[in-house]
């Protein structure tokens, strides 16, 4: 009976240490992570610190960097909540650009247009620019 308790205790310590390691090193939890258009990479590629750089390409031409984890998570969540859009007229000018990066690697690039945004990848998926996402951009 004592040997089983030692093994169980060792397993519990191992699981707790593994959880702490993953939580400290990676931005996403492997159990709760889901891949989609906004987060297309494996969960382990999102190492801390993860930053979002938003480039305002309007009249100001400024760059804003989000480094706080809660702000990055909120921005990503609003992007994930945006419904996809069928083909839209692509005659509008680029109003802004966004880059999600960690450890110097670019994980996501997005262009914002009037009323929609587009992921820059081979698929080029377009999404609606929701009021909540527009509000986050305006607070930068």
């Amino acid at each position: 009976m004592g040997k089983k308790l030692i093994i169980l205790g060792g397993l519990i310590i191992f699981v707790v240490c593994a959880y702490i390691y993953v939580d400290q090193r990676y931005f996403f939890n492997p159990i709760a992570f889901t891949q989609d258009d906004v987060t297309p990479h494996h969960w382990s590629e999102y190492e801390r610190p993860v930053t979002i750089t938003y480039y305002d390409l309007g009249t100001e031409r400024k760059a804003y960097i989000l480094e706080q984890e809660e702000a990055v998570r909120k921005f990503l969540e609003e992007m994930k909540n945006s419904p996809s859009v069928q083909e839209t007229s692509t005659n509008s000018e680029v109003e802004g650009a966004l880059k999600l990066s960690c450890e110097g690697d670019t994980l996501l690039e997005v262009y914002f247009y009037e009323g929609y945004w587009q992921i820059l990848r081979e698929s080029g998926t377009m999404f609606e620019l929701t009021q909540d996402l527009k509000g986050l951009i305006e607070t930068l």
Side-chain angles (χ1 to χ4, degrees), residues 36-38 79-86 88 110-111 115-119 124-130 133:
D36 54 18
D37 289 325
V38 177
M79 290 176 72
K80 288 181 177 203
N81 289 337
S82 297
S84 62
V85 178
Q86 299 302 325
T88 308
V110 172
Y111 278 165
Y116 71 98
W117 54 276
Q118 182 176 15
I119 296 175
T125 310
M126 293 185 214
F127 295 91
E128 179 183 334
L129 184 59
T130 62
L133 185 56

mmCIF file with all atom_site columns, all heavy atoms in Angstrom, residues 36-38 79-86 88 110-111 115-119 124-130 133:
data_model
loop_
_atom_site.group_PDB
_atom_site.id
_atom_site.type_symbol
_atom_site.label_atom_id
_atom_site.label_alt_id
_atom_site.label_comp_id
_atom_site.label_asym_id
_atom_site.label_entity_id
_atom_site.label_seq_id
_atom_site.pdbx_PDB_ins_code
_atom_site.Cartn_x
_atom_site.Cartn_y
_atom_site.Cartn_z
_atom_site.occupancy
_atom_site.B_iso_or_equiv
_atom_site.pdbx_formal_charge
_atom_site.auth_seq_id
_atom_site.auth_comp_id
_atom_site.auth_asym_id
_atom_site.auth_atom_id
_atom_site.pdbx_PDB_model_num
ATOM 1   N N   . ASP A 1 36  ? -7.517  27.539 -35.410 1.00 0.00 ? 36  ASP A N   1
ATOM 2   C CA  . ASP A 1 36  ? -8.482  28.111 -36.339 1.00 0.00 ? 36  ASP A CA  1
ATOM 3   C C   . ASP A 1 36  ? -7.728  29.078 -37.246 1.00 0.00 ? 36  ASP A C   1
ATOM 4   O O   . ASP A 1 36  ? -6.504  29.056 -37.283 1.00 0.00 ? 36  ASP A O   1
ATOM 5   C CB  . ASP A 1 36  ? -9.634  28.792 -35.583 1.00 0.00 ? 36  ASP A CB  1
ATOM 6   C CG  . ASP A 1 36  ? -9.161  29.828 -34.574 1.00 0.00 ? 36  ASP A CG  1
ATOM 7   O OD1 . ASP A 1 36  ? -8.006  30.275 -34.668 1.00 0.00 ? 36  ASP A OD1 1
ATOM 8   O OD2 . ASP A 1 36  ? -9.941  30.187 -33.693 1.00 0.00 ? 36  ASP A OD2 1
ATOM 9   N N   . ASP A 1 37  ? -8.467  29.920 -37.966 1.00 0.00 ? 37  ASP A N   1
ATOM 10  C CA  . ASP A 1 37  ? -7.814  30.843 -38.892 1.00 0.00 ? 37  ASP A CA  1
ATOM 11  C C   . ASP A 1 37  ? -6.958  31.883 -38.184 1.00 0.00 ? 37  ASP A C   1
ATOM 12  O O   . ASP A 1 37  ? -5.933  32.309 -38.705 1.00 0.00 ? 37  ASP A O   1
ATOM 13  C CB  . ASP A 1 37  ? -8.870  31.554 -39.751 1.00 0.00 ? 37  ASP A CB  1
ATOM 14  C CG  . ASP A 1 37  ? -9.508  30.623 -40.761 1.00 0.00 ? 37  ASP A CG  1
ATOM 15  O OD1 . ASP A 1 37  ? -8.802  29.737 -41.286 1.00 0.00 ? 37  ASP A OD1 1
ATOM 16  O OD2 . ASP A 1 37  ? -10.713 30.771 -41.027 1.00 0.00 ? 37  ASP A OD2 1
ATOM 17  N N   . VAL A 1 38  ? -7.351  32.291 -36.995 1.00 0.00 ? 38  VAL A N   1
ATOM 18  C CA  . VAL A 1 38  ? -6.620  33.321 -36.260 1.00 0.00 ? 38  VAL A CA  1
ATOM 19  C C   . VAL A 1 38  ? -5.400  32.732 -35.549 1.00 0.00 ? 38  VAL A C   1
ATOM 20  O O   . VAL A 1 38  ? -4.359  33.369 -35.463 1.00 0.00 ? 38  VAL A O   1
ATOM 21  C CB  . VAL A 1 38  ? -7.548  34.037 -35.257 1.00 0.00 ? 38  VAL A CB  1
ATOM 22  C CG1 . VAL A 1 38  ? -6.789  35.050 -34.426 1.00 0.00 ? 38  VAL A CG1 1
ATOM 23  C CG2 . VAL A 1 38  ? -8.695  34.718 -35.996 1.00 0.00 ? 38  VAL A CG2 1
ATOM 24  N N   . MET A 1 79  ? -11.118 38.827 -32.577 1.00 0.00 ? 79  MET A N   1
ATOM 25  C CA  . MET A 1 79  ? -10.857 38.413 -33.959 1.00 0.00 ? 79  MET A CA  1
ATOM 26  C C   . MET A 1 79  ? -11.496 37.049 -34.234 1.00 0.00 ? 79  MET A C   1
ATOM 27  O O   . MET A 1 79  ? -12.056 36.821 -35.308 1.00 0.00 ? 79  MET A O   1
ATOM 28  C CB  . MET A 1 79  ? -9.352  38.381 -34.232 1.00 0.00 ? 79  MET A CB  1
ATOM 29  C CG  . MET A 1 79  ? -8.733  39.762 -34.263 1.00 0.00 ? 79  MET A CG  1
ATOM 30  S SD  . MET A 1 79  ? -6.942  39.727 -34.456 1.00 0.00 ? 79  MET A SD  1
ATOM 31  C CE  . MET A 1 79  ? -6.803  39.229 -36.161 1.00 0.00 ? 79  MET A CE  1
ATOM 32  N N   . LYS A 1 80  ? -11.435 36.150 -33.264 1.00 0.00 ? 80  LYS A N   1
ATOM 33  C CA  . LYS A 1 80  ? -12.036 34.824 -33.431 1.00 0.00 ? 80  LYS A CA  1
ATOM 34  C C   . LYS A 1 80  ? -13.558 34.898 -33.491 1.00 0.00 ? 80  LYS A C   1
ATOM 35  O O   . LYS A 1 80  ? -14.193 34.061 -34.117 1.00 0.00 ? 80  LYS A O   1
ATOM 36  C CB  . LYS A 1 80  ? -11.614 33.897 -32.289 1.00 0.00 ? 80  LYS A CB  1
ATOM 37  C CG  . LYS A 1 80  ? -10.174 33.465 -32.364 1.00 0.00 ? 80  LYS A CG  1
ATOM 38  C CD  . LYS A 1 80  ? -9.836  32.538 -31.237 1.00 0.00 ? 80  LYS A CD  1
ATOM 39  C CE  . LYS A 1 80  ? -8.406  32.059 -31.369 1.00 0.00 ? 80  LYS A CE  1
ATOM 40  N NZ  . LYS A 1 80  ? -8.177  30.803 -30.684 1.00 0.00 ? 80  LYS A NZ  1
ATOM 41  N N   . ASN A 1 81  ? -14.160 35.911 -32.852 1.00 0.00 ? 81  ASN A N   1
ATOM 42  C CA  . ASN A 1 81  ? -15.607 36.072 -32.846 1.00 0.00 ? 81  ASN A CA  1
ATOM 43  C C   . ASN A 1 81  ? -16.140 36.726 -34.115 1.00 0.00 ? 81  ASN A C   1
ATOM 44  O O   . ASN A 1 81  ? -17.346 36.827 -34.289 1.00 0.00 ? 81  ASN A O   1
ATOM 45  C CB  . ASN A 1 81  ? -16.056 36.879 -31.627 1.00 0.00 ? 81  ASN A CB  1
ATOM 46  C CG  . ASN A 1 81  ? -15.901 36.093 -30.346 1.00 0.00 ? 81  ASN A CG  1
ATOM 47  O OD1 . ASN A 1 81  ? -15.878 34.871 -30.343 1.00 0.00 ? 81  ASN A OD1 1
ATOM 48  N ND2 . ASN A 1 81  ? -15.759 36.799 -29.242 1.00 0.00 ? 81  ASN A ND2 1
ATOM 49  N N   . SER A 1 82  ? -15.253 37.196 -34.984 1.00 0.00 ? 82  SER A N   1
ATOM 50  C CA  . SER A 1 82  ? -15.691 37.835 -36.224 1.00 0.00 ? 82  SER A CA  1
ATOM 51  C C   . SER A 1 82  ? -16.192 36.788 -37.209 1.00 0.00 ? 82  SER A C   1
ATOM 52  O O   . SER A 1 82  ? -15.493 35.809 -37.476 1.00 0.00 ? 82  SER A O   1
ATOM 53  C CB  . SER A 1 82  ? -14.536 38.605 -36.871 1.00 0.00 ? 82  SER A CB  1
ATOM 54  O OG  . SER A 1 82  ? -14.105 39.644 -36.044 1.00 0.00 ? 82  SER A OG  1
ATOM 55  N N   . PRO A 1 83  ? -17.389 36.999 -37.767 1.00 0.00 ? 83  PRO A N   1
ATOM 56  C CA  . PRO A 1 83  ? -17.901 36.043 -38.754 1.00 0.00 ? 83  PRO A CA  1
ATOM 57  C C   . PRO A 1 83  ? -17.167 36.194 -40.089 1.00 0.00 ? 83  PRO A C   1
ATOM 58  O O   . PRO A 1 83  ? -16.735 37.292 -40.452 1.00 0.00 ? 83  PRO A O   1
ATOM 59  C CB  . PRO A 1 83  ? -19.378 36.416 -38.887 1.00 0.00 ? 83  PRO A CB  1
ATOM 60  C CG  . PRO A 1 83  ? -19.462 37.827 -38.455 1.00 0.00 ? 83  PRO A CG  1
ATOM 61  C CD  . PRO A 1 83  ? -18.359 38.049 -37.464 1.00 0.00 ? 83  PRO A CD  1
ATOM 62  N N   . SER A 1 84  ? -17.018 35.093 -40.794 1.00 0.00 ? 84  SER A N   1
ATOM 63  C CA  . SER A 1 84  ? -16.362 35.159 -42.099 1.00 0.00 ? 84  SER A CA  1
ATOM 64  C C   . SER A 1 84  ? -17.291 35.822 -43.101 1.00 0.00 ? 84  SER A C   1
ATOM 65  O O   . SER A 1 84  ? -18.509 35.822 -42.962 1.00 0.00 ? 84  SER A O   1
ATOM 66  C CB  . SER A 1 84  ? -15.958 33.768 -42.576 1.00 0.00 ? 84  SER A CB  1
ATOM 67  O OG  . SER A 1 84  ? -17.104 32.968 -42.734 1.00 0.00 ? 84  SER A OG  1
ATOM 68  N N   . VAL A 1 85  ? -16.694 36.435 -44.111 1.00 0.00 ? 85  VAL A N   1
ATOM 69  C CA  . VAL A 1 85  ? -17.423 37.189 -45.116 1.00 0.00 ? 85  VAL A CA  1
ATOM 70  C C   . VAL A 1 85  ? -17.156 36.546 -46.470 1.00 0.00 ? 85  VAL A C   1
ATOM 71  O O   . VAL A 1 85  ? -16.035 36.121 -46.751 1.00 0.00 ? 85  VAL A O   1
ATOM 72  C CB  . VAL A 1 85  ? -16.944 38.662 -45.132 1.00 0.00 ? 85  VAL A CB  1
ATOM 73  C CG1 . VAL A 1 85  ? -17.637 39.461 -46.203 1.00 0.00 ? 85  VAL A CG1 1
ATOM 74  C CG2 . VAL A 1 85  ? -17.141 39.301 -43.787 1.00 0.00 ? 85  VAL A CG2 1
ATOM 75  N N   . GLN A 1 86  ? -18.194 36.507 -47.300 1.00 0.00 ? 86  GLN A N   1
ATOM 76  C CA  . GLN A 1 86  ? -18.004 36.052 -48.674 1.00 0.00 ? 86  GLN A CA  1
ATOM 77  C C   . GLN A 1 86  ? -17.224 37.130 -49.412 1.00 0.00 ? 86  GLN A C   1
ATOM 78  O O   . GLN A 1 86  ? -16.952 38.198 -48.889 1.00 0.00 ? 86  GLN A O   1
ATOM 79  C CB  . GLN A 1 86  ? -19.357 35.797 -49.344 1.00 0.00 ? 86  GLN A CB  1
ATOM 80  C CG  . GLN A 1 86  ? -20.173 34.734 -48.650 1.00 0.00 ? 86  GLN A CG  1
ATOM 81  C CD  . GLN A 1 86  ? -19.451 33.384 -48.572 1.00 0.00 ? 86  GLN A CD  1
ATOM 82  O OE1 . GLN A 1 86  ? -18.720 33.020 -49.475 1.00 0.00 ? 86  GLN A OE1 1
ATOM 83  N NE2 . GLN A 1 86  ? -19.635 32.671 -47.483 1.00 0.00 ? 86  GLN A NE2 1
ATOM 84  N N   . THR A 1 88  ? -15.717 40.141 -50.983 1.00 0.00 ? 88  THR A N   1
ATOM 85  C CA  . THR A 1 88  ? -16.048 41.546 -50.827 1.00 0.00 ? 88  THR A CA  1
ATOM 86  C C   . THR A 1 88  ? -15.257 42.327 -51.866 1.00 0.00 ? 88  THR A C   1
ATOM 87  O O   . THR A 1 88  ? -14.194 41.889 -52.289 1.00 0.00 ? 88  THR A O   1
ATOM 88  C CB  . THR A 1 88  ? -15.656 42.033 -49.413 1.00 0.00 ? 88  THR A CB  1
ATOM 89  O OG1 . THR A 1 88  ? -16.221 41.144 -48.455 1.00 0.00 ? 88  THR A OG1 1
ATOM 90  C CG2 . THR A 1 88  ? -16.146 43.428 -49.155 1.00 0.00 ? 88  THR A CG2 1
ATOM 91  N N   . VAL A 1 110 ? -2.337  40.388 -40.665 1.00 0.00 ? 110 VAL A N   1
ATOM 92  C CA  . VAL A 1 110 ? -3.703  40.726 -41.041 1.00 0.00 ? 110 VAL A CA  1
ATOM 93  C C   . VAL A 1 110 ? -3.714  42.138 -41.604 1.00 0.00 ? 110 VAL A C   1
ATOM 94  O O   . VAL A 1 110 ? -3.021  43.022 -41.103 1.00 0.00 ? 110 VAL A O   1
ATOM 95  C CB  . VAL A 1 110 ? -4.625  40.659 -39.793 1.00 0.00 ? 110 VAL A CB  1
ATOM 96  C CG1 . VAL A 1 110 ? -5.995  41.198 -40.094 1.00 0.00 ? 110 VAL A CG1 1
ATOM 97  C CG2 . VAL A 1 110 ? -4.711  39.246 -39.257 1.00 0.00 ? 110 VAL A CG2 1
ATOM 98  N N   . TYR A 1 111 ? -4.542  42.354 -42.643 1.00 0.00 ? 111 TYR A N   1
ATOM 99  C CA  . TYR A 1 111 ? -4.808  43.699 -43.158 1.00 0.00 ? 111 TYR A CA  1
ATOM 100 C C   . TYR A 1 111 ? -6.245  44.062 -42.829 1.00 0.00 ? 111 TYR A C   1
ATOM 101 O O   . TYR A 1 111 ? -7.147  43.246 -42.997 1.00 0.00 ? 111 TYR A O   1
ATOM 102 C CB  . TYR A 1 111 ? -4.614  43.773 -44.668 1.00 0.00 ? 111 TYR A CB  1
ATOM 103 C CG  . TYR A 1 111 ? -3.188  43.956 -45.120 1.00 0.00 ? 111 TYR A CG  1
ATOM 104 C CD1 . TYR A 1 111 ? -2.840  43.732 -46.439 1.00 0.00 ? 111 TYR A CD1 1
ATOM 105 C CD2 . TYR A 1 111 ? -2.185  44.366 -44.254 1.00 0.00 ? 111 TYR A CD2 1
ATOM 106 C CE1 . TYR A 1 111 ? -1.537  43.901 -46.876 1.00 0.00 ? 111 TYR A CE1 1
ATOM 107 C CE2 . TYR A 1 111 ? -0.892  44.535 -44.677 1.00 0.00 ? 111 TYR A CE2 1
ATOM 108 C CZ  . TYR A 1 111 ? -0.570  44.309 -45.988 1.00 0.00 ? 111 TYR A CZ  1
ATOM 109 O OH  . TYR A 1 111 ? 0.720   44.469 -46.412 1.00 0.00 ? 111 TYR A OH  1
ATOM 110 N N   . GLY A 1 115 ? -14.705 47.845 -43.144 1.00 0.00 ? 115 GLY A N   1
ATOM 111 C CA  . GLY A 1 115 ? -15.774 46.867 -42.988 1.00 0.00 ? 115 GLY A CA  1
ATOM 112 C C   . GLY A 1 115 ? -15.347 45.413 -42.894 1.00 0.00 ? 115 GLY A C   1
ATOM 113 O O   . GLY A 1 115 ? -16.137 44.555 -42.553 1.00 0.00 ? 115 GLY A O   1
ATOM 114 N N   . TYR A 1 116 ? -14.109 45.095 -43.204 1.00 0.00 ? 116 TYR A N   1
ATOM 115 C CA  . TYR A 1 116 ? -13.648 43.709 -43.107 1.00 0.00 ? 116 TYR A CA  1
ATOM 116 C C   . TYR A 1 116 ? -12.141 43.676 -42.899 1.00 0.00 ? 116 TYR A C   1
ATOM 117 O O   . TYR A 1 116 ? -11.458 44.682 -43.029 1.00 0.00 ? 116 TYR A O   1
ATOM 118 C CB  . TYR A 1 116 ? -14.051 42.906 -44.351 1.00 0.00 ? 116 TYR A CB  1
ATOM 119 C CG  . TYR A 1 116 ? -13.301 43.255 -45.616 1.00 0.00 ? 116 TYR A CG  1
ATOM 120 C CD1 . TYR A 1 116 ? -12.212 42.495 -46.036 1.00 0.00 ? 116 TYR A CD1 1
ATOM 121 C CD2 . TYR A 1 116 ? -13.661 44.343 -46.400 1.00 0.00 ? 116 TYR A CD2 1
ATOM 122 C CE1 . TYR A 1 116 ? -11.520 42.799 -47.183 1.00 0.00 ? 116 TYR A CE1 1
ATOM 123 C CE2 . TYR A 1 116 ? -12.984 44.652 -47.556 1.00 0.00 ? 116 TYR A CE2 1
ATOM 124 C CZ  . TYR A 1 116 ? -11.912 43.882 -47.938 1.00 0.00 ? 116 TYR A CZ  1
ATOM 125 O OH  . TYR A 1 116 ? -11.221 44.190 -49.091 1.00 0.00 ? 116 TYR A OH  1
ATOM 126 N N   . TRP A 1 117 ? -11.649 42.500 -42.544 1.00 0.00 ? 117 TRP A N   1
ATOM 127 C CA  . TRP A 1 117 ? -10.211 42.287 -42.409 1.00 0.00 ? 117 TRP A CA  1
ATOM 128 C C   . TRP A 1 117 ? -9.855  40.958 -43.041 1.00 0.00 ? 117 TRP A C   1
ATOM 129 O O   . TRP A 1 117 ? -10.684 40.073 -43.182 1.00 0.00 ? 117 TRP A O   1
ATOM 130 C CB  . TRP A 1 117 ? -9.739  42.383 -40.967 1.00 0.00 ? 117 TRP A CB  1
ATOM 131 C CG  . TRP A 1 117 ? -10.425 41.507 -39.982 1.00 0.00 ? 117 TRP A CG  1
ATOM 132 C CD1 . TRP A 1 117 ? -11.594 41.751 -39.322 1.00 0.00 ? 117 TRP A CD1 1
ATOM 133 C CD2 . TRP A 1 117 ? -9.983  40.223 -39.511 1.00 0.00 ? 117 TRP A CD2 1
ATOM 134 N NE1 . TRP A 1 117 ? -11.901 40.720 -38.476 1.00 0.00 ? 117 TRP A NE1 1
ATOM 135 C CE2 . TRP A 1 117 ? -10.930 39.763 -38.572 1.00 0.00 ? 117 TRP A CE2 1
ATOM 136 C CE3 . TRP A 1 117 ? -8.896  39.422 -39.785 1.00 0.00 ? 117 TRP A CE3 1
ATOM 137 C CZ2 . TRP A 1 117 ? -10.813 38.545 -37.916 1.00 0.00 ? 117 TRP A CZ2 1
ATOM 138 C CZ3 . TRP A 1 117 ? -8.776  38.211 -39.136 1.00 0.00 ? 117 TRP A CZ3 1
ATOM 139 C CH2 . TRP A 1 117 ? -9.730  37.790 -38.214 1.00 0.00 ? 117 TRP A CH2 1
ATOM 140 N N   . GLN A 1 118 ? -8.603  40.843 -43.464 1.00 0.00 ? 118 GLN A N   1
ATOM 141 C CA  . GLN A 1 118 ? -8.172  39.678 -44.225 1.00 0.00 ? 118 GLN A CA  1
ATOM 142 C C   . GLN A 1 118 ? -6.856  39.145 -43.677 1.00 0.00 ? 118 GLN A C   1
ATOM 143 O O   . GLN A 1 118 ? -5.929  39.899 -43.407 1.00 0.00 ? 118 GLN A O   1
ATOM 144 C CB  . GLN A 1 118 ? -8.002  40.058 -45.693 1.00 0.00 ? 118 GLN A CB  1
ATOM 145 C CG  . GLN A 1 118 ? -7.593  38.921 -46.578 1.00 0.00 ? 118 GLN A CG  1
ATOM 146 C CD  . GLN A 1 118 ? -7.527  39.342 -48.039 1.00 0.00 ? 118 GLN A CD  1
ATOM 147 O OE1 . GLN A 1 118 ? -7.516  40.516 -48.348 1.00 0.00 ? 118 GLN A OE1 1
ATOM 148 N NE2 . GLN A 1 118 ? -7.478  38.381 -48.914 1.00 0.00 ? 118 GLN A NE2 1
ATOM 149 N N   . ILE A 1 119 ? -6.809  37.821 -43.539 1.00 0.00 ? 119 ILE A N   1
ATOM 150 C CA  . ILE A 1 119 ? -5.589  37.160 -43.095 1.00 0.00 ? 119 ILE A CA  1
ATOM 151 C C   . ILE A 1 119 ? -4.671  36.983 -44.299 1.00 0.00 ? 119 ILE A C   1
ATOM 152 O O   . ILE A 1 119 ? -5.110  36.558 -45.363 1.00 0.00 ? 119 ILE A O   1
ATOM 153 C CB  . ILE A 1 119 ? -5.911  35.787 -42.465 1.00 0.00 ? 119 ILE A CB  1
ATOM 154 C CG1 . ILE A 1 119 ? -6.744  35.986 -41.206 1.00 0.00 ? 119 ILE A CG1 1
ATOM 155 C CG2 . ILE A 1 119 ? -4.632  35.017 -42.164 1.00 0.00 ? 119 ILE A CG2 1
ATOM 156 C CD1 . ILE A 1 119 ? -7.205  34.692 -40.575 1.00 0.00 ? 119 ILE A CD1 1
ATOM 157 N N   . GLY A 1 124 ? -6.172  33.488 -47.569 1.00 0.00 ? 124 GLY A N   1
ATOM 158 C CA  . GLY A 1 124 ? -6.661  34.851 -47.663 1.00 0.00 ? 124 GLY A CA  1
ATOM 159 C C   . GLY A 1 124 ? -8.078  35.020 -47.151 1.00 0.00 ? 124 GLY A C   1
ATOM 160 O O   . GLY A 1 124 ? -8.863  35.775 -47.713 1.00 0.00 ? 124 GLY A O   1
ATOM 161 N N   . THR A 1 125 ? -8.416  34.330 -46.078 1.00 0.00 ? 125 THR A N   1
ATOM 162 C CA  . THR A 1 125 ? -9.763  34.368 -45.519 1.00 0.00 ? 125 THR A CA  1
ATOM 163 C C   . THR A 1 125 ? -10.132 35.783 -45.092 1.00 0.00 ? 125 THR A C   1
ATOM 164 O O   . THR A 1 125 ? -9.327  36.497 -44.503 1.00 0.00 ? 125 THR A O   1
ATOM 165 C CB  . THR A 1 125 ? -9.853  33.417 -44.307 1.00 0.00 ? 125 THR A CB  1
ATOM 166 O OG1 . THR A 1 125 ? -9.336  32.156 -44.671 1.00 0.00 ? 125 THR A OG1 1
ATOM 167 C CG2 . THR A 1 125 ? -11.281 33.264 -43.850 1.00 0.00 ? 125 THR A CG2 1
ATOM 168 N N   . MET A 1 126 ? -11.390 36.188 -45.382 1.00 0.00 ? 126 MET A N   1
ATOM 169 C CA  . MET A 1 126 ? -11.882 37.513 -45.005 1.00 0.00 ? 126 MET A CA  1
ATOM 170 C C   . MET A 1 126 ? -12.914 37.385 -43.892 1.00 0.00 ? 126 MET A C   1
ATOM 171 O O   . MET A 1 126 ? -13.710 36.451 -43.879 1.00 0.00 ? 126 MET A O   1
ATOM 172 C CB  . MET A 1 126 ? -12.538 38.195 -46.208 1.00 0.00 ? 126 MET A CB  1
ATOM 173 C CG  . MET A 1 126 ? -11.590 38.542 -47.297 1.00 0.00 ? 126 MET A CG  1
ATOM 174 S SD  . MET A 1 126 ? -12.460 39.460 -48.562 1.00 0.00 ? 126 MET A SD  1
ATOM 175 C CE  . MET A 1 126 ? -11.611 38.876 -50.003 1.00 0.00 ? 126 MET A CE  1
ATOM 176 N N   . PHE A 1 127 ? -12.884 38.355 -42.969 1.00 0.00 ? 127 PHE A N   1
ATOM 177 C CA  . PHE A 1 127 ? -13.795 38.375 -41.831 1.00 0.00 ? 127 PHE A CA  1
ATOM 178 C C   . PHE A 1 127 ? -14.397 39.764 -41.690 1.00 0.00 ? 127 PHE A C   1
ATOM 179 O O   . PHE A 1 127 ? -13.782 40.761 -42.062 1.00 0.00 ? 127 PHE A O   1
ATOM 180 C CB  . PHE A 1 127 ? -13.068 38.005 -40.544 1.00 0.00 ? 127 PHE A CB  1
ATOM 181 C CG  . PHE A 1 127 ? -12.544 36.603 -40.528 1.00 0.00 ? 127 PHE A CG  1
ATOM 182 C CD1 . PHE A 1 127 ? -11.266 36.319 -40.966 1.00 0.00 ? 127 PHE A CD1 1
ATOM 183 C CD2 . PHE A 1 127 ? -13.344 35.562 -40.085 1.00 0.00 ? 127 PHE A CD2 1
ATOM 184 C CE1 . PHE A 1 127 ? -10.782 35.030 -40.959 1.00 0.00 ? 127 PHE A CE1 1
ATOM 185 C CE2 . PHE A 1 127 ? -12.863 34.269 -40.073 1.00 0.00 ? 127 PHE A CE2 1
ATOM 186 C CZ  . PHE A 1 127 ? -11.586 34.004 -40.516 1.00 0.00 ? 127 PHE A CZ  1
ATOM 187 N N   . GLU A 1 128 ? -15.582 39.810 -41.091 1.00 0.00 ? 128 GLU A N   1
ATOM 188 C CA  . GLU A 1 128 ? -16.258 41.078 -40.846 1.00 0.00 ? 128 GLU A CA  1
ATOM 189 C C   . GLU A 1 128 ? -15.536 41.837 -39.743 1.00 0.00 ? 128 GLU A C   1
ATOM 190 O O   . GLU A 1 128 ? -15.105 41.255 -38.747 1.00 0.00 ? 128 GLU A O   1
ATOM 191 C CB  . GLU A 1 128 ? -17.704 40.806 -40.432 1.00 0.00 ? 128 GLU A CB  1
ATOM 192 C CG  . GLU A 1 128 ? -18.503 42.046 -40.136 1.00 0.00 ? 128 GLU A CG  1
ATOM 193 C CD  . GLU A 1 128 ? -19.895 41.713 -39.653 1.00 0.00 ? 128 GLU A CD  1
ATOM 194 O OE1 . GLU A 1 128 ? -20.415 40.629 -39.987 1.00 0.00 ? 128 GLU A OE1 1
ATOM 195 O OE2 . GLU A 1 128 ? -20.459 42.537 -38.914 1.00 0.00 ? 128 GLU A OE2 1
ATOM 196 N N   . LEU A 1 129 ? -15.416 43.126 -39.919 1.00 0.00 ? 129 LEU A N   1
ATOM 197 C CA  . LEU A 1 129 ? -14.840 43.991 -38.885 1.00 0.00 ? 129 LEU A CA  1
ATOM 198 C C   . LEU A 1 129 ? -15.974 44.383 -37.943 1.00 0.00 ? 129 LEU A C   1
ATOM 199 O O   . LEU A 1 129 ? -16.745 45.282 -38.218 1.00 0.00 ? 129 LEU A O   1
ATOM 200 C CB  . LEU A 1 129 ? -14.195 45.226 -39.511 1.00 0.00 ? 129 LEU A CB  1
ATOM 201 C CG  . LEU A 1 129 ? -13.464 46.172 -38.578 1.00 0.00 ? 129 LEU A CG  1
ATOM 202 C CD1 . LEU A 1 129 ? -12.338 45.456 -37.859 1.00 0.00 ? 129 LEU A CD1 1
ATOM 203 C CD2 . LEU A 1 129 ? -12.928 47.355 -39.340 1.00 0.00 ? 129 LEU A CD2 1
ATOM 204 N N   . THR A 1 130 ? -16.106 43.649 -36.835 1.00 0.00 ? 130 THR A N   1
ATOM 205 C CA  . THR A 1 130 ? -17.206 43.866 -35.899 1.00 0.00 ? 130 THR A CA  1
ATOM 206 C C   . THR A 1 130 ? -16.999 45.163 -35.115 1.00 0.00 ? 130 THR A C   1
ATOM 207 O O   . THR A 1 130 ? -15.893 45.704 -35.057 1.00 0.00 ? 130 THR A O   1
ATOM 208 C CB  . THR A 1 130 ? -17.318 42.697 -34.909 1.00 0.00 ? 130 THR A CB  1
ATOM 209 O OG1 . THR A 1 130 ? -16.098 42.617 -34.148 1.00 0.00 ? 130 THR A OG1 1
ATOM 210 C CG2 . THR A 1 130 ? -17.569 41.383 -35.633 1.00 0.00 ? 130 THR A CG2 1
ATOM 211 N N   . LEU A 1 133 ? -14.413 44.715 -32.283 1.00 0.00 ? 133 LEU A N   1
ATOM 212 C CA  . LEU A 1 133 ? -13.025 44.730 -32.770 1.00 0.00 ? 133 LEU A CA  1
ATOM 213 C C   . LEU A 1 133 ? -12.633 46.132 -33.190 1.00 0.00 ? 133 LEU A C   1
ATOM 214 O O   . LEU A 1 133 ? -11.507 46.587 -32.904 1.00 0.00 ? 133 LEU A O   1
ATOM 215 C CB  . LEU A 1 133 ? -12.867 43.742 -33.940 1.00 0.00 ? 133 LEU A CB  1
ATOM 216 C CG  . LEU A 1 133 ? -11.466 43.554 -34.482 1.00 0.00 ? 133 LEU A CG  1
ATOM 217 C CD1 . LEU A 1 133 ? -10.499 43.136 -33.385 1.00 0.00 ? 133 LEU A CD1 1
ATOM 218 C CD2 . LEU A 1 133 ? -11.477 42.524 -35.603 1.00 0.00 ? 133 LEU A CD2 1
#
